[in-house]
Amino acid sequence: MKKIRIVLAEDDEDDRLFFKEAINQLDLNTEIKFVADGDELLKYLNDPESHFPDLVFLDLNMPRKGGIQSLSEIRASQKLTGLSVAIYSTSSSDEDIENCFIGGANVYIKKPNNIESLKSVLFKVITTNHQYINSTMNKDNFLMVV
């Protein structure tokens, strides 16, 4: 089985550890790369030496370059056209959700505060092939609720 390559763009160390713990407990064949902000993410994605990820989890509120700007740059890039992007944020603001939907994110996840909920949502997102569901994307199935 092919490894599922995941990048998490998250500036909070505790959130990175919580995410890693949940992924490890899922026992999926994953490889995770952590970056601390959008600048680091775009450098990684555009580096020819980097392994191209299957999925990016993108926090909205990060220093230097936040999630919305990073999403915009990803969607504007020819090289990154098919990249699946899951917004992973504490925000449940309608404006943030709308901006991410319009900006081309594949799914929006409000960060769960317990490991079981996080494992559940991560399993759903990681095992969904977002390339095939984009044609039926609407705001009702964009926000993933656990």
Side-chain angles (χ1 to χ4, degrees):
M1 185 168 131
K2 175 184 167 302
K3 262 199 193 312
I4 302 164
R5 290 194 169 103
I6 296 170
V7 175
L8 172 64
E10 169 64 66
D11 62 312
D12 185 284
E13 179 68 24
D14 289 338
D15 284 352
R16 286 194 299 261
L17 292 171
F18 189 54
F19 186 95
K20 183 178 183 179
E21 178 64 27
I23 291 272
N24 288 343
Q25 286 184 25
L26 286 176
D27 199 30
L28 295 170
N29 191 17
T30 57
E31 177 181 299
I32 305 172
K33 165 76 175 162
F34 296 101
V35 294
D37 58 48
D39 261 353
E40 224 181 289
L41 173 65
L42 272 296
K43 283 179 185 144
Y44 177 80
L45 293 175
N46 288 306
D47 182 347
E49 302 293 309
S50 297
H51 291 293
F52 195 79
D54 297 295
L55 180 60
V56 169
F57 286 86
L58 183 57
D59 185 22
L60 287 184
N61 302 308
M62 295 181 289
R64 296 196 303 169
K65 185 181 291 181
I68 295 288
Q69 186 181 353
S70 299
L71 176 62
S72 174
E73 289 181 31
I74 287 168
R75 291 303 179 229
S77 167
Q78 287 285 83
K79 177 187 176 199
L80 305 175
T81 301
L83 184 60
S84 293
V85 178
I87 301 301
Y88 180 67
S89 178
T90 55
S91 172
S92 54
S93 136
D94 288 340
E95 183 181 354
D96 284 342
I97 294 166
E98 180 78 19
N99 287 338
C100 293
F101 180 74
I102 290 168
N106 296 85
V107 66
Y108 192 102
I109 305 159
K110 182 169 178 334
K111 290 179 184 175
N113 55 10
N114 69 67
I115 194 93
E116 292 308 315
S117 296
L118 180 56
K119 283 170 33 181
S120 173
V121 76
L122 289 178
F123 184 81
K124 281 186 208 170
V125 172
I126 292 168
T127 59
T128 298
N129 187 333
H130 295 282
Q131 309 318 93
Y132 294 114
I133 65 164
N134 283 346
S135 60
T136 59
M137 180 74 80
N138 62 52
K139 266 183 51 186
D140 294 331
N141 62 12
F142 177 66
L143 179 61
M144 188 164 288
V145 181
V146 285

